[in-house]
């Protein structure tokens, strides 16, 4: 697994646990980093994802639901939902990852952590979202990283 993909996978695992169990993000990340240390820059990237996604989970979910209504979020697997949140945050908020890279990385995470259909599902939803990227970026503009 590539280093940044590994950082994303740690962020995904942390967001999943936070979503399911409600554990504190700092504790969850600390445990994930203890499982296998990362370079400082990659640990920072994982932290940016987690602490970038958490405060705007509802907004991210609203955007996903609005632009992909054929997939009701309450019926989407928790891991799939978190993969979509990470990709959407990377695309529309962090502005550090090109669209195609974010989609490819999300699909890879889906292959690693999701069900048989996750990669196809994630690719389809992110493809739908990408058609409305400018609108989504405007909606999330206030959350842009400095």
């Amino acid at each position: 697994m590539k280093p940044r993909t590994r950082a994303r996978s740690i962020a995904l695992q942390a967001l999943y646990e936070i979503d399911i169990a409600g554990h504190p993000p700092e504790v969850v990340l600390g445990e994930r980093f203890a499982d296998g240390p990362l370079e400082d820059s990659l640990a920072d990237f994982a932290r940016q994802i987690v602490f970038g996604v958490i405060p705007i989970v509802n907004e991210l979910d609203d955007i996903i639901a609005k632009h992909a209504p054929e997939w009701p979020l309450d019926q989407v697997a928790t891991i799939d939902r978190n993969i979509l949140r990470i990709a959407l945050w990377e695309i529309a908020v962090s502005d550090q990852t090109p669209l195609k890279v974010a989609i490819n990385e999300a699909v890879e995470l889906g292959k690693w952590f999701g069900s048989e259909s996750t990669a196809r599902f994630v690719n389809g939803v992110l493809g739908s979202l990408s058609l409305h990227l400018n609108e989504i970026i405007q909606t999330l503009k206030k959350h842009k990283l400095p």
Side-chain angles (χ1 to χ4, degrees), residues 23-143:
H23 294 151
E26 301 83 11
V27 172
V28 174
L29 277 171
E31 290 170 354
R32 295 295 77 72
F33 294 148
D35 290 344
L38 284 177
E39 282 181 27
D40 288 346
S41 64
L42 295 173
D44 287 343
F45 180 53
R47 274 189 207 90
Q48 280 182 350
I49 293 170
V50 170
F51 289 105
V53 168
I54 288 173
I56 60 170
V57 161
N58 292 332
E59 290 171 271
L60 295 171
D61 287 353
D62 289 347
I63 289 167
I64 294 165
K66 177 182 176 185
H67 295 287
E70 57 276 8
W71 298 293
L73 270 179
D74 61 341
Q75 295 175 17
V76 173
T78 305
I79 200 76
D80 298 1
R81 198 168 47 242
N82 280 294
I83 291 169
L84 292 171
R85 290 170 178 163
I86 289 171
L88 186 53
W89 178 83
E90 280 197 75
I91 294 164
V93 178
S94 81
D95 203 26
Q96 298 174 17
T97 309
L99 175 65
K100 287 185 178 186
V101 172
I103 292 172
N104 287 340
E105 289 290 317
V107 168
E108 284 302 308
L109 288 175
K111 289 176 183 176
W112 277 88
F113 295 101
S115 67
E116 263 184 51
S117 61
T118 296
R120 190 173 59 251
F121 168 73
V122 165
N123 191 49
V125 172
L126 292 175
S128 294
L129 291 171
S130 71
L131 299 174
H132 305 279
L133 193 53
N134 289 333
E135 176 188 339
I136 292 168
I137 288 170
Q138 288 305 313
T139 300
L140 295 172
K141 190 177 190 175
K142 63 183 173 222
H143 301 290

